[in-house]
Amino acid sequence: MLIYIAKRLLIALPTLLIVSMLVFGLQHLLPGDPVLAMAGEERDPETLARIRASLNLDQPIPIQYLRWLGGVVTGDFGTSLRTGEPVSALIAQKLPVTIQLAVMAMIFAALIGIPTGIIAAVNKGSPVDWAANLVALSGLSIPNFWLGIMLILLVSVNLGWLPASGYESPFVDPWRSLQTMIMPAFVLGTGLAATLMRHTRSAMLGVMSADYIRTARAKGLTRREVILKHGFRNALLPVITLTALLFGELLAGAVLTEQIFTIPGFGKLIVDAVFNRDYAVVQGVVLCTAVGFLLMNLIADVLSVLLNPRMRAAL
Amino acid sequence: MTRFLLTATALSALLTALPAAAQEMRIGLQDDADILDPDQSRTFVGRIVYAGLCDKLVDLDGEANIIPMLATDWAYSDDGLELVMNLRDGVVFHDGTAFDAEAVVANITRSMTLEESRRKSELSSVDSIAATGPMQVTFTLTAPDASLVAQLSDRAGMMMSPTAAEEAGADFGQNPVCSGPFRFVERIQQDRIVLEKFEDYYDADRIHLDRVTYLPIPDTTVRLANLRSGELDMIERLAAPDVASVSQNSGLTMQETVGLGYMAIYLNLGNGERSETPMGQDPRVRQAFSMAIDREALNQVVFEGTARAGNQPFAPTSPWFNTDLPVPARDVEGARALLAEAGIDRMPVEIQHANNPVVTQMMQVVQAMVAEAGFDVTLRATEFATLLSEQTAGNFQLSRSDWSGRPDPDGNLHQFVTCEGGINDPRYCNPEVDRLLNEARASTDTEVRKAAYDAAGVILNEDLPVIYLGHQTYIFALDDSVQGFEALPDGMIRLQDVTIAE
């Protein structure tokens, strides 16, 4: 098992290298000059030349890339062009926020998506199934930014129950942290719940028509036992894989949701960085996100091996 | 059941519990500030934070006149080559360092020499600065510069603790130490900046808040929702469409002021190949374009009447506005006649503009207006960073962008339209305009300056390297418990005299 994980990690390295090259190249293909974006209104030619030279932006792109790569290998991700803060500090500041949002959103998604998926599958073709599908479809189709603003207007402005936006670290004030995160996590969760529900439903349908379910029924188990013990446990595998992958995507930051609720996570960081042509920050965040995604992929695979005795034997 | 009720009550009480409002003010900003070092920063919202954090040598009043702050009085020498400033006694920085002439010298020197400094062009007329007394400094200038004092009313004149600045170097922004009414507590990028009352502030009687938190909330709807729900006490730059709903809301008040800047279209007159069009070469075509625009209608349609129509780099409310050139009414017939004179029936024009909804709408209205005079406008919506580089590189025919404005008229004109101007993207060059603007810069006599700006204004109004469309207003929305706030033309949030009623 350990050898398997080590192998996978080793294979991930070239992937990361290619990702970083692509991002670096793409950024420089973008029109717009980071120096101009930085200079703001004080953009006379002398100032521009001075900033350009001080940031090594006057050197050829391959040299800039190698400089950056050299830094990364030695643990230096560079500094933000905009605020002068080290990129690694920025990432350390934002990553916990994004993880918290991702975990809470995933909890919402699982709490809503998996039960409705099971219920829909068990009652296939009945009005319950249609209703569940309708809810799932709406979850997928309602844009996050709209749902977010509606929730803010209803819950914060009209009812005054929760703060409209903002963020507090759970280590400083856990209660307020929860208050500020509930709405964005719910908004993000609804979209994912729909995906989870659809997959749970189809996995359950597949399992429920299997021979061993008929056998279980035949030997007189209660409906509940058949569904949960025999059905759901076998349908769980693809659902877990999917959950891990969805979680990996969440780590890239939820740009719109973070923007609406003003949550200082990865999504906001990278959007602001792109608009300001803050190359080092974009590079750092994308690299970090890619690592997160690859890790979640790996975890998904490891989990499915652990949960499935047949695959364990094949290893 | 009782237990359930109790739990439910406790829960809802907790849910609605907000942080204690005892003289703590929470302000919603449109963006996140950049680095908090007055010598290095460049954002508008950064300046809003400095209004609480860093006092300046001089300040502005409601009419954009310059008034004393850390400097109590000042005078230019007769030849205009020296500026002597006397400083306020009894001022200390947040770290306890005393404010004196040496501190000012260290600050101005840092602004002029720090490698990362963005203040170099603002102080380009300063040759050297010396302490000519314990509480007096003398600036020696390379050439007379009437705008220098006004430059000192902004970041170039902000005083940082010399001790802290020397220690931190270019990293000063991580923990800024100034002498303003509030001192720095913490900052979380894209989330908040927290300041708290500085007990040893020289003008402490006018400070009634204990703590100020600035929260960047880019979405206008969400910013307003936060104000309505009581999470914020004040927001800046309220969007024009929200003005009506805020004025109907009994719990909120509004403050607005015409800004120092302008909204304009820059025309490529000599910046590369794309200037070689009738628009770039024939002033009559530019005049026709300008005549076809109904500036007041733009203000009504796009800004719901909250902005100001304008045709000069100074708003009609400014003392520098040339009253001989009033904001013109739309004249389609006149525009057609001018075009015909230039031998043109219809002509294509491309305008690049920032891709935000307000500017896009504004340019669509302009597009429709000038079409009636014979201009077939293609709009090119461009992301802002790209727009800037296209404009600098000369890859534009017409380019629509804003200028935030400077308190001294020089800052709204000189660098844009003089032959060697640092941001003269149209590459306009008229020696007579250069002469007039240099004369205005060199004189400290307001009447001489006004006459020079008026004369330059007449020429610019014919040559039209820049077509001015109007002036932004800064609109603040406040909870009605906030009292004592006054909006000034620079759009800053000064916290002196501001109180929050219980």
Side-chain angles (χ1 to χ4, degrees), chain B residues 123-165:
Chain B
L123 296 171
S124 57
S125 62
V126 178
D127 178 58
S128 64
I129 177 170
T132 42
M135 281 299 175
Q136 186 189 69
V137 289
T138 302
F139 293 81
T140 307
L141 311 186
T142 51
D145 178 8
S147 71
L148 178 61
V149 181
Q151 301 285 16
L152 299 176
S153 73
D154 198 346
R155 289 165 293 197
M158 284 177 192
M159 294 292 118
M160 303 166 244
S161 159
T163 328

Tab-separated table of all heavy atoms in Angstrom, chain B residues 123-165:
chain	number	residue	atom	x	y	z
B	123	LEU	N	6.994	64.478	-5.927
B	123	LEU	CA	7.981	65.340	-5.287
B	123	LEU	C	9.120	65.698	-6.240
B	123	LEU	O	10.192	66.105	-5.797
B	123	LEU	CB	8.541	64.643	-4.040
B	123	LEU	CG	7.511	64.376	-2.930
B	123	LEU	CD1	8.107	63.489	-1.852
B	123	LEU	CD2	7.019	65.677	-2.326
B	124	SER	N	8.856	65.574	-7.556
B	124	SER	CA	9.968	65.758	-8.500
B	124	SER	C	10.513	67.178	-8.487
B	124	SER	O	11.649	67.401	-8.895
B	124	SER	CB	9.525	65.375	-9.917
B	124	SER	OG	8.410	66.155	-10.268
B	125	SER	N	9.735	68.145	-8.026
B	125	SER	CA	10.252	69.517	-8.027
B	125	SER	C	11.130	69.797	-6.803
B	125	SER	O	11.745	70.847	-6.711
B	125	SER	CB	9.091	70.515	-8.057
B	125	SER	OG	8.302	70.372	-6.896
B	126	VAL	N	11.176	68.846	-5.854
B	126	VAL	CA	11.966	69.071	-4.641
B	126	VAL	C	13.420	68.685	-4.898
B	126	VAL	O	13.703	67.566	-5.334
B	126	VAL	CB	11.412	68.240	-3.459
B	126	VAL	CG1	12.259	68.446	-2.211
B	126	VAL	CG2	9.967	68.605	-3.190
B	127	ASP	N	14.298	69.631	-4.650
B	127	ASP	CA	15.719	69.328	-4.809
B	127	ASP	C	16.262	68.753	-3.509
B	127	ASP	O	16.925	67.728	-3.489
B	127	ASP	CB	16.479	70.603	-5.194
B	127	ASP	CG	17.971	70.352	-5.324
B	127	ASP	OD1	18.322	69.486	-6.149
B	127	ASP	OD2	18.750	70.993	-4.590
B	128	SER	N	15.933	69.430	-2.384
B	128	SER	CA	16.372	68.924	-1.096
B	128	SER	C	15.476	69.478	-0.008
B	128	SER	O	14.697	70.407	-0.241
B	128	SER	CB	17.824	69.341	-0.837
B	128	SER	OG	17.883	70.750	-0.755
B	129	ILE	N	15.572	68.882	1.172
B	129	ILE	CA	14.818	69.386	2.317
B	129	ILE	C	15.763	69.419	3.516
B	129	ILE	O	16.614	68.531	3.668
B	129	ILE	CB	13.580	68.522	2.606
B	129	ILE	CG1	12.850	69.031	3.854
B	129	ILE	CG2	13.947	67.048	2.749
B	129	ILE	CD1	11.503	68.394	4.073
B	130	ALA	N	15.630	70.472	4.323
B	130	ALA	CA	16.517	70.568	5.480
B	130	ALA	C	15.733	71.064	6.694
B	130	ALA	O	14.726	71.770	6.550
B	130	ALA	CB	17.663	71.536	5.177
B	131	ALA	N	16.187	70.643	7.877
B	131	ALA	CA	15.598	71.157	9.110
B	131	ALA	C	16.240	72.503	9.388
B	131	ALA	O	17.442	72.587	9.607
B	131	ALA	CB	15.862	70.188	10.253
B	132	THR	N	15.437	73.573	9.336
B	132	THR	CA	15.996	74.902	9.567
B	132	THR	C	15.618	75.401	10.949
B	132	THR	O	15.673	76.588	11.234
B	132	THR	CB	15.523	75.889	8.481
B	132	THR	OG1	14.132	75.655	8.216
B	132	THR	CG2	16.300	75.688	7.199
B	133	GLY	N	15.208	74.509	11.803
B	133	GLY	CA	14.858	74.817	13.184
B	133	GLY	C	14.328	73.532	13.760
B	133	GLY	O	14.076	72.589	13.014
B	134	PRO	N	14.166	73.458	15.092
B	134	PRO	CA	13.657	72.214	15.664
B	134	PRO	C	12.263	71.895	15.135
B	134	PRO	O	11.888	70.736	14.991
B	134	PRO	CB	13.636	72.497	17.177
B	134	PRO	CG	13.872	73.954	17.356
B	134	PRO	CD	14.499	74.471	16.104
B	135	MET	N	11.483	72.951	14.838
B	135	MET	CA	10.132	72.754	14.365
B	135	MET	C	9.893	73.484	13.052
B	135	MET	O	8.839	74.059	12.832
B	135	MET	CB	9.143	73.270	15.434
B	135	MET	CG	8.946	72.289	16.562
B	135	MET	SD	8.276	70.759	15.874
B	135	MET	CE	8.247	69.712	17.270
B	136	GLN	N	10.904	73.502	12.202
B	136	GLN	CA	10.760	74.169	10.910
B	136	GLN	C	11.562	73.432	9.842
B	136	GLN	O	12.705	73.050	10.081
B	136	GLN	CB	11.254	75.612	11.007
B	136	GLN	CG	10.986	76.403	9.744
B	136	GLN	CD	11.668	77.742	9.764
B	136	GLN	OE1	12.892	77.836	9.704
B	136	GLN	NE2	10.866	78.800	9.857
B	137	VAL	N	10.931	73.218	8.690
B	137	VAL	CA	11.676	72.614	7.574
B	137	VAL	C	11.630	73.541	6.373
B	137	VAL	O	10.689	74.332	6.218
B	137	VAL	CB	11.097	71.243	7.150
B	137	VAL	CG1	11.361	70.189	8.187
B	137	VAL	CG2	9.614	71.348	6.834
B	138	THR	N	12.646	73.442	5.529
B	138	THR	CA	12.686	74.230	4.304
B	138	THR	C	12.914	73.305	3.112
B	138	THR	O	13.882	72.547	3.076
B	138	THR	CB	13.814	75.285	4.376
B	138	THR	OG1	13.583	76.105	5.515
B	138	THR	CG2	13.833	76.131	3.111
B	139	PHE	N	11.980	73.350	2.179
B	139	PHE	CA	12.117	72.606	0.922
B	139	PHE	C	12.848	73.514	-0.060
B	139	PHE	O	12.451	74.670	-0.227
B	139	PHE	CB	10.758	72.289	0.308
B	139	PHE	CG	9.923	71.310	1.102
B	139	PHE	CD1	9.180	71.718	2.191
B	139	PHE	CD2	9.851	69.971	0.715
B	139	PHE	CE1	8.386	70.829	2.891
B	139	PHE	CE2	9.065	69.079	1.412
B	139	PHE	CZ	8.327	69.506	2.513
B	140	THR	N	13.879	73.015	-0.727
B	140	THR	CA	14.504	73.753	-1.812
B	140	THR	C	14.065	73.103	-3.117
B	140	THR	O	14.158	71.879	-3.265
B	140	THR	CB	16.037	73.695	-1.696
B	140	THR	OG1	16.366	74.118	-0.366
B	140	THR	CG2	16.706	74.599	-2.702
B	141	LEU	N	13.551	73.925	-4.038
B	141	LEU	CA	12.969	73.369	-5.260
B	141	LEU	C	13.885	73.580	-6.459
B	141	LEU	O	14.659	74.533	-6.500
B	141	LEU	CB	11.619	74.026	-5.535
B	141	LEU	CG	10.647	74.089	-4.350
B	141	LEU	CD1	9.298	74.637	-4.815
B	141	LEU	CD2	10.456	72.722	-3.729
B	142	THR	N	13.762	72.701	-7.433
B	142	THR	CA	14.549	72.855	-8.652
B	142	THR	C	13.921	73.912	-9.546
B	142	THR	O	14.601	74.558	-10.329
B	142	THR	CB	14.620	71.531	-9.429
B	142	THR	OG1	13.279	71.039	-9.569
B	142	THR	CG2	15.452	70.506	-8.689
B	143	ALA	N	12.590	74.049	-9.450
B	143	ALA	CA	11.866	75.073	-10.205
B	143	ALA	C	10.626	75.399	-9.388
B	143	ALA	O	10.163	74.547	-8.640
B	143	ALA	CB	11.475	74.545	-11.581
B	144	PRO	N	10.093	76.614	-9.534
B	144	PRO	CA	8.904	76.946	-8.748
B	144	PRO	C	7.777	75.932	-9.001
B	144	PRO	O	7.564	75.521	-10.142
B	144	PRO	CB	8.511	78.336	-9.275
B	144	PRO	CG	9.757	78.902	-9.849
B	144	PRO	CD	10.535	77.733	-10.386
B	145	ASP	N	7.092	75.507	-7.943
B	145	ASP	CA	6.033	74.506	-8.107
B	145	ASP	C	4.916	74.808	-7.111
B	145	ASP	O	4.980	74.458	-5.944
B	145	ASP	CB	6.597	73.108	-7.854
B	145	ASP	CG	5.522	72.035	-7.959
B	145	ASP	OD1	4.378	72.361	-8.381
B	145	ASP	OD2	5.809	70.875	-7.624
B	146	ALA	N	3.860	75.453	-7.639
B	146	ALA	CA	2.751	75.860	-6.770
B	146	ALA	C	1.952	74.668	-6.270
B	146	ALA	O	1.220	74.766	-5.303
B	146	ALA	CB	1.841	76.813	-7.521
B	147	SER	N	2.088	73.520	-6.950
B	147	SER	CA	1.260	72.372	-6.576
B	147	SER	C	1.876	71.564	-5.439
B	147	SER	O	1.265	70.625	-4.943
B	147	SER	CB	1.044	71.466	-7.785
B	147	SER	OG	2.249	70.805	-8.113
B	148	LEU	N	3.089	71.939	-5.022
B	148	LEU	CA	3.785	71.116	-4.027
B	148	LEU	C	3.008	70.988	-2.709
B	148	LEU	O	2.871	69.886	-2.167
B	148	LEU	CB	5.192	71.669	-3.767
B	148	LEU	CG	5.987	70.904	-2.707
B	148	LEU	CD1	6.199	69.450	-3.135
B	148	LEU	CD2	7.329	71.562	-2.439
B	149	VAL	N	2.479	72.112	-2.217
B	149	VAL	CA	1.767	72.040	-0.934
B	149	VAL	C	0.573	71.095	-1.058
B	149	VAL	O	0.286	70.291	-0.165
B	149	VAL	CB	1.328	73.441	-0.458
B	149	VAL	CG1	0.610	73.333	0.873
B	149	VAL	CG2	2.535	74.351	-0.311
B	150	ALA	N	-0.120	71.158	-2.197
B	150	ALA	CA	-1.259	70.259	-2.400
B	150	ALA	C	-0.805	68.796	-2.428
B	150	ALA	O	-1.505	67.907	-1.934
B	150	ALA	CB	-1.987	70.613	-3.693
B	151	GLN	N	0.380	68.545	-2.995
B	151	GLN	CA	0.896	67.160	-2.991
B	151	GLN	C	1.075	66.669	-1.553
B	151	GLN	O	0.899	65.498	-1.261
B	151	GLN	CB	2.260	67.064	-3.699
B	151	GLN	CG	2.277	67.515	-5.146
B	151	GLN	CD	1.638	66.512	-6.093
B	151	GLN	OE1	0.918	65.608	-5.672
B	151	GLN	NE2	1.887	66.689	-7.381
B	152	LEU	N	1.423	67.615	-0.677
B	152	LEU	CA	1.668	67.232	0.717
B	152	LEU	C	0.361	67.010	1.487
B	152	LEU	O	0.368	66.657	2.655
B	152	LEU	CB	2.528	68.298	1.416
B	152	LEU	CG	3.910	68.502	0.784
B	152	LEU	CD1	4.649	69.641	1.470
B	152	LEU	CD2	4.737	67.221	0.845
B	153	SER	N	-0.779	67.232	0.826
B	153	SER	CA	-2.056	66.960	1.484
B	153	SER	C	-2.471	65.514	1.248
B	153	SER	O	-3.561	65.101	1.629
B	153	SER	CB	-3.142	67.888	0.936
B	153	SER	OG	-3.506	67.479	-0.369
B	154	ASP	N	-1.617	64.756	0.574
B	154	ASP	CA	-1.938	63.353	0.327
B	154	ASP	C	-0.749	62.492	0.769
B	154	ASP	O	0.002	62.892	1.650
B	154	ASP	CB	-2.289	63.184	-1.157
B	154	ASP	CG	-3.051	61.907	-1.425
B	154	ASP	OD1	-3.086	61.024	-0.559
B	154	ASP	OD2	-3.614	61.776	-2.522
B	155	ARG	N	-0.548	61.357	0.117
B	155	ARG	CA	0.415	60.391	0.639
B	155	ARG	C	1.836	60.930	0.751
B	155	ARG	O	2.574	60.552	1.658
B	155	ARG	CB	0.390	59.122	-0.223
B	155	ARG	CG	-0.881	58.342	-0.003
B	155	ARG	CD	-1.098	57.314	-1.072
B	155	ARG	NE	-1.363	57.943	-2.350
B	155	ARG	CZ	-1.894	57.315	-3.380
B	155	ARG	NH1	-2.204	56.044	-3.299
B	155	ARG	NH2	-2.120	57.940	-4.519
B	156	ALA	N	2.211	61.843	-0.166
B	156	ALA	CA	3.573	62.370	-0.089
B	156	ALA	C	3.791	63.151	1.210
B	156	ALA	O	4.918	63.263	1.680
B	156	ALA	CB	3.860	63.259	-1.296
B	157	GLY	N	2.696	63.666	1.783
B	157	GLY	CA	2.838	64.448	3.010
B	157	GLY	C	2.501	63.664	4.265
B	157	GLY	O	2.424	64.244	5.351
B	158	MET	N	2.288	62.351	4.148
B	158	MET	CA	1.973	61.553	5.331
B	158	MET	C	3.239	61.247	6.102
B	158	MET	O	4.249	60.867	5.528
B	158	MET	CB	1.289	60.244	4.919
B	158	MET	CG	-0.148	60.472	4.527
B	158	MET	SD	-0.918	58.982	3.968
B	158	MET	CE	-2.412	59.690	3.256
B	159	MET	N	3.146	61.414	7.413
B	159	MET	CA	4.331	61.267	8.242
B	159	MET	C	4.335	59.925	8.955
B	159	MET	O	3.420	59.595	9.696
B	159	MET	CB	4.371	62.402	9.273
B	159	MET	CG	4.575	63.777	8.632
B	159	MET	SD	6.219	63.951	7.901
B	159	MET	CE	5.832	64.193	6.184
B	160	MET	N	5.385	59.146	8.685
B	160	MET	CA	5.549	57.860	9.362
B	160	MET	C	6.602	58.034	10.447
B	160	MET	O	7.484	58.879	10.324
B	160	MET	CB	6.054	56.815	8.371
B	160	MET	CG	5.165	56.651	7.175
B	160	MET	SD	6.043	55.739	5.903
B	160	MET	CE	6.112	56.976	4.645
B	161	SER	N	6.518	57.200	11.452
B	161	SER	CA	7.536	57.263	12.490
B	161	SER	C	8.892	56.943	11.865
B	161	SER	O	9.074	55.873	11.287
B	161	SER	CB	7.237	56.247	13.582
B	161	SER	OG	8.434	55.971	14.287
B	162	PRO	N	9.857	57.882	11.954
B	162	PRO	CA	11.166	57.617	11.332
B	162	PRO	C	11.848	56.395	11.953
B	162	PRO	O	12.552	55.653	11.262
B	162	PRO	CB	11.953	58.898	11.579
B	162	PRO	CG	11.187	59.688	12.577
B	162	PRO	CD	9.782	59.206	12.569
B	163	THR	N	11.625	56.176	13.240
B	163	THR	CA	12.225	55.010	13.898
B	163	THR	C	11.708	53.725	13.254
B	163	THR	O	12.475	52.844	12.860
B	163	THR	CB	11.826	54.986	15.397
B	163	THR	OG1	11.693	56.323	15.853
B	163	THR	CG2	12.832	54.238	16.214
B	164	ALA	N	10.363	53.644	13.152
B	164	ALA	CA	9.760	52.436	12.592
B	164	ALA	C	10.115	52.275	11.125
B	164	ALA	O	10.385	51.164	10.656
B	164	ALA	CB	8.246	52.492	12.762
B	165	ALA	N	10.127	53.402	10.390
B	165	ALA	CA	10.396	53.318	8.954
B	165	ALA	C	11.815	52.828	8.708
B	165	ALA	O	12.060	52.025	7.803
B	165	ALA	CB	10.180	54.683	8.297
